[in-house]
Amino acid sequence: MEQSRDYRKAYDELSEFLAKSHHIVLFGHKGPDGDSVGSTLAMRMLLESLGKSVQVIMAGGMPLNLRWMPGATEILQQGRQDEEIDKALSLSDLIICLDFNALYRIGPLLEERLRASLAQRSIPVLMIDHHPYPSDEFSWQWSCPEAAATCEVLTRLFLSPDERCIRLPEATDSTPLDPTQAEALRAKIATALLTGIITDTGLFNHNSSRPDLYELVAVLLRSGADKDLIVDKINHNHPESRQRLEGYILYEKVVVMPEIQSAYFVLTREEMERFETGAADTDGFVNKPLDIKGINCSAFFRETLDEGVKVSVRSIGDIAVNELCSECFGGGGHKNAAGGEFSQGSISEAVDLFVDYMRRHYLRPSKERKPAMGI
Ligand code: 5GP
Ligand code: MN
């Protein structure tokens, strides 16, 4: 399989850290998605097969449509299992961060806990990720912005020498699995990895035109990944309240501004409460306005519990929403999928910042413009 990066070298470097560690903590970013859950759970299974003791820690609720993933409900949640989190951190001799590029992305409270623990005892903090602009605060990092998902990066790291399957690392300090157990474990890991690839590409809608990505999908299917199960659980597993909230947003809330190729919508805390929906279950809504012809950028503004505003932006083509989120909302992400936060003012001021940025950078020449339409 063609690959410009030296994944073998990365695997050997990672293995050196693993060989010296017994209690490993894995972090995913705040507000888990399919790639952060898939990559951390796959990594946990791989490390446990090596005889390591592993805990996964995250902040933000687990979306209902990811709870089926083996091990998802055992993830330690900031705010709910703080004692267990502190215990896991105090025992740990290695931290691995997956699917984010800077420590603040685990959320402020969890970051505080982690930094307090690292101040007591310095241990290696590794990062494996696919977001551009990685920070330099890690002991070792394997950052691959060209990858569609962190799960793609892990699949490449753990490719078998013949590149047909995922390899289970060879344990030196635990009893080897019998072939049936190994096959079942490989299938579970492959399912977790394929989940991250499927969700981060929006079911192969975006960031998924490289032929070698499909070679990796073949590797995962050959390793036993259950693609039909993933697609079913991801798509057909939402609470009724989410469906109703989605209908409400599309009918009443989306504001369409063709002159700046954009649409946006805001959601207040009162509305979230009215629809009995948590933030975790609004994932994916921001993509919907992109279905409108001529709309190449969509933004979702949501009031958070701490009176701030969470911003999610998606785009099609050349509109670089990571630059927008970095300039306006202290955030970042990928070119076509990014986010940030706004705490300096009201939600409508956050919207004004967005609209102003889009006017400055992406205003359509006037002959192409159509009148603005508020729905
Ligand atoms: P989402 O809109 O689903 O929260 O995030 C979309 C993408 O933007 C993800 O790749 C996510 O990691 C990134 N992202 C979301 N929020 C932030 C943020 O506050 N800061 C940074 N740097 N990236 C973010
Ligand atoms: Mn990702």
Side-chain angles (χ1 to χ4, degrees):
M1 210 171 285
E2 251 182 66
Q3 191 46 237
S4 56
R5 288 179 187 275
D6 194 345
Y7 268 88
R8 305 249 159 189
K9 183 162 161 273
Y11 182 84
D12 291 343
E13 289 170 0
L14 175 64
S15 300
E16 273 182 41
F17 284 102
L18 298 181
K20 290 183 227 146
S21 319
H22 304 284
H23 296 277
I24 303 176
V25 164
L26 307 179
F27 276 101
H29 59 74
K30 184 182 170 202
D33 60 16
D35 195 28
S36 62
V37 178
S39 59
T40 49
L41 294 182
M43 192 63 151
R44 168 154 85 193
M45 290 185 265
L46 285 159
L47 297 179
E48 283 177 346
S49 77
L50 267 173
K52 312 291 180 191
S53 145
V54 186
Q55 289 285 3
V56 181
I57 302 178
M58 286 185 200
M62 178 66 57
L64 210 62
N65 69 340
L66 295 176
R67 285 187 205 166
W68 60 275
M69 294 181 72
T73 50
E74 288 144 44
I75 293 177
L76 299 179
Q77 295 274 342
Q78 157 72 34
R80 276 198 218 145
Q81 286 139 309
D82 292 347
E83 260 178 48
E84 287 99 317
I85 291 176
D86 287 338
K87 189 166 163 227
L89 286 173
S90 68
L91 275 178
S92 64
D93 45 21
L94 181 67
I95 308 268
I96 307 180
C97 299
L98 290 152
D99 198 33
F100 61 92
N101 59 2
L103 275 185
Y104 82 91
R105 296 279 295 123
I106 62 179
L109 299 174
L110 210 43
E111 184 186 0
E112 213 174 287
R113 287 206 130 73
L114 172 60
R115 291 202 187 273
S117 167
L118 291 173
Q120 303 276 323
R121 243 163 6 103
S122 167
I123 56 168
V125 181
L126 317 184
M127 175 266 256
I128 301 173
D129 180 45
H130 72 128
H131 291 87
Y133 314 117
S135 86
D136 58 5
E137 61 199 321
F138 300 95
S139 323
W140 176 86
Q141 65 183 48
W142 188 241
S143 162
C144 308
E146 73 285 357
T150 300
C151 283
E152 177 187 342
V153 179
L154 289 188
T155 307
R156 288 192 191 284
L157 267 176
F158 288 92
L159 265 184
S160 61
D162 66 2
E163 302 193 342
R164 289 184 57 78
C165 284
I166 321 171
R167 72 166 135 172
L168 299 177
E170 271 147 48
T172 47
D173 49 358
S174 66
T175 6
L177 297 171
D178 71 43
T180 322
Q181 285 174 315
E183 205 176 304
L185 177 63
R186 200 192 314 272
K188 277 211 280 188
I189 295 169
T191 298
L193 292 173
L194 188 56
T195 302
I197 294 176
I198 285 182
T199 53
D200 257 26
T201 58
L203 293 161
F204 301 106
N205 267 267
H206 44 79
N207 199 13
S208 49
S209 300
R210 282 178 297 114
D212 56 311
L213 179 65
Y214 295 87
E215 285 164 358
L216 280 191
V217 171
V219 164
L220 293 172
L221 293 174
R222 221 179 274 122
S223 304
D226 190 342
K227 187 220 133 218
D228 291 347
L229 174 82
I230 299 168
V231 172
D232 182 47
K233 294 287 190 189
I234 293 294
N235 289 334
H236 310 138
N237 213 3
H238 294 297
E240 179 186 340
S241 53
R242 174 186 151 110
Q243 193 89 340
R244 301 217 177 266
L245 178 62
E246 185 177 339
Y248 167 71
I249 289 171
L250 295 181
Y251 188 65
E252 289 201 21
K253 304 284 312 202
V254 176
V255 176
V256 182
M257 305 186 76
E259 74 276 20
I260 52 169
Q261 312 178 51
S262 300
Y264 71 85
F265 56 97
V266 300
L267 213 50
T268 62
R269 269 186 301 170
E270 184 275 315
E271 287 168 316
M272 303 274 291
E273 279 159 24
R274 182 147 44 99
F275 282 86
E276 295 174 3
T277 317
D281 292 310
T282 60
D283 190 44
F285 286 174
V286 63
N287 291 301
K288 292 285 164 184
L290 294 176
D291 292 353
I292 303 169
K293 187 171 184 318
I295 296 305
N296 295 318
C297 181
S298 168
F300 171 21
F301 300 83
R302 174 174 62 75
E303 275 180 1
T304 57
L305 293 176
D306 55 5
E307 319 225 318
V309 177
K310 168 77 190 138
V311 188
S312 271
V313 195
R314 300 290 185 272
S315 67
I316 299 172
D318 289 338
I319 299 178
V321 291
N322 50 358
E323 288 171 16
L324 181 158
C325 286
S326 158
E327 183 177 319
C328 302
F329 306 116
H334 308 280
K335 183 178 170 201
N336 296 126
E341 278 165 42
F342 182 72
S343 52
Q344 305 89 307
S346 66
I347 202 160
S348 63
E349 287 169 85
V351 170
D352 289 346
L353 273 181
F354 166 73
V355 172
D356 176 62
Y357 182 98
M358 291 305 293
R359 271 195 216 292
R360 280 187 283 119
H361 292 84
Y362 298 105
L363 189 66
R364 276 212 172 99
S366 57
K367 67 175 170 20
E368 282 183 40
R369 271 191 245 158
K370 293 190 192 124
M373 175 174 62
I375 298 180

